[in-house]
Amino acid sequence: MFMLAKRFLVPAAMLLPLACSSEASDGAGVGEDIGDDALIVPEDLTVMALPGGNGVLNVIALTLRKGPSNTELYAALRNDGDIPACSAAVSVELYDKAQRSLASGINGLLTQHYYRLTDGSGAIAACVGPGDVTMAAVTDLPSDIVIEDVGYVVYRCPYFALDVVPIDGLTVSQVKAVTGGAGTTYTGTLLNGLDVAVSTPSVTVFSANRVGRPLGVAFASGTVQIPPGGSWAFETNTVDTPGPAHAAYPAGAFATQ
């Protein structure tokens, strides 16, 4: 067992901007019960990187909570380095206060920026660029975890450091939170700025508190093909924990030229 470091602390200068739209959510009462400015919840949780295992990506906000059927973890990370982190993921391991392992999970990190490899292949890569904020949801942790027993979250971030150049990619615009009898959903438009068609588009929208800590997640997916310069109007499923802000990330399948 490695020695766990002291509690993760974030100075005020590290408060993150939301990765996409941060307008107040539409609908009376949305986010009124999520009015805190905490970056880590539970607030006594220690969050630390596995030594040598996170590279340029650092957790700057995290939520650990009970979901409808499983324990869920939502994290925001920032690229504090000077290289893009391509095809990145985050893996987490939860420990109790006696440093005994409770559970582990992994999921991909989402991005809003796209790059092209410089090796002549024309391949397109989704990368977290320097200064970018990315988010991830690990929603399949065991349901029997007692949140109060979790003392530590240790994370690592595998990714590829590729020779790439930035290009226009997929963007999300006009995101609105819409609250009805079934809950809160998000609507908006995905724009294809690539020079190739995009199929099976999707958008992942995280609800967030005022300082950008992710609270929950909603998804939209389609079967359409979006031509270069085209768009797709989407609506997500409901998010069970709406907040006063949100961050949206696009994705899709595309072929190289």
Side-chain angles (χ1 to χ4, degrees):
M1 172 71 67
F2 57 85
M3 292 297 294
L4 293 174
K6 63 182 180 180
R7 187 181 186 277
F8 170 80
L9 298 175
V10 181
M14 290 182 68
L15 297 182
L16 63 151
L18 287 184
C20 187
S21 179
S22 60
E23 303 93 337
S25 300
D26 293 347
V30 173
E32 288 179 359
D33 59 340
I34 311 293
D36 66 275
D37 290 333
L39 286 169
I40 303 295
V41 170
E43 293 189 69
D44 62 347
L45 191 65
T46 296
V47 179
M48 61 172 290
L50 183 68
N54 68 316
V56 299
L57 296 166
N58 295 304
V59 167
I60 52 178
L62 183 142
T63 300
L64 179 68
R65 69 177 180 93
K66 285 291 186 181
S69 57
N70 296 304
T71 301
E72 299 177 349
L73 183 147
Y74 300 95
L77 301 92
R78 185 172 57 211
N79 183 341
D80 289 325
D82 56 6
I83 62 169
C86 300
S87 300
V90 60
S91 66
V92 296
E93 187 157 6
L94 277 56
Y95 294 85
D96 65 16
K97 293 177 173 61
Q99 301 185 15
R100 293 183 294 250
S101 178
L102 297 173
S104 62
I106 187 171
N107 208 348
L109 290 171
L110 300 168
T111 181
Q112 297 169 334
H113 294 139
Y114 292 81
Y115 295 75
R116 196 179 301 278
L117 272 65
T118 60
D119 60 1
S121 66
I124 298 170
C127 307
V128 184
D132 287 353
V133 171
T134 176
M135 292 186 179
V138 180
T139 58
D140 57 354
L141 296 169
S143 60
D144 59 354
I145 293 175
V146 178
I147 299 296
E148 293 76 15
D149 290 346
V150 181
Y152 307 90
V153 174
V154 179
Y155 69 94
R156 64 181 296 269
C157 298
Y159 60 85
F160 294 99
L162 304 175
D163 291 327
V164 292
V165 293
I167 59 173
D168 292 334
L170 306 179
T171 58
V172 180
S173 65
Q174 301 175 330
V175 179
K176 294 182 179 180
V178 180
T179 300
T184 297
T185 64
Y186 296 95
T187 63
T189 301
L190 185 153
L191 305 172
N192 180 12
L194 296 168
D195 53 9
V196 296
V198 172
S199 58
T200 60
S202 65
V203 176
T204 303
V205 183
F206 289 85
S207 61
N209 72 350
R210 286 188 292 260
V211 295
R213 174 171 59 85
L215 307 172
V217 70
F219 303 97
S221 61
T223 58
V224 301
Q225 184 174 82
I226 310 173
S231 64
W232 170 60
F234 67 86
E235 181 175 0
T236 70
N237 60 357
T238 58
V239 61
D240 65 346
T241 310
H246 50 261
Y249 296 88
F254 38 80
T256 58
Q257 289 183 313

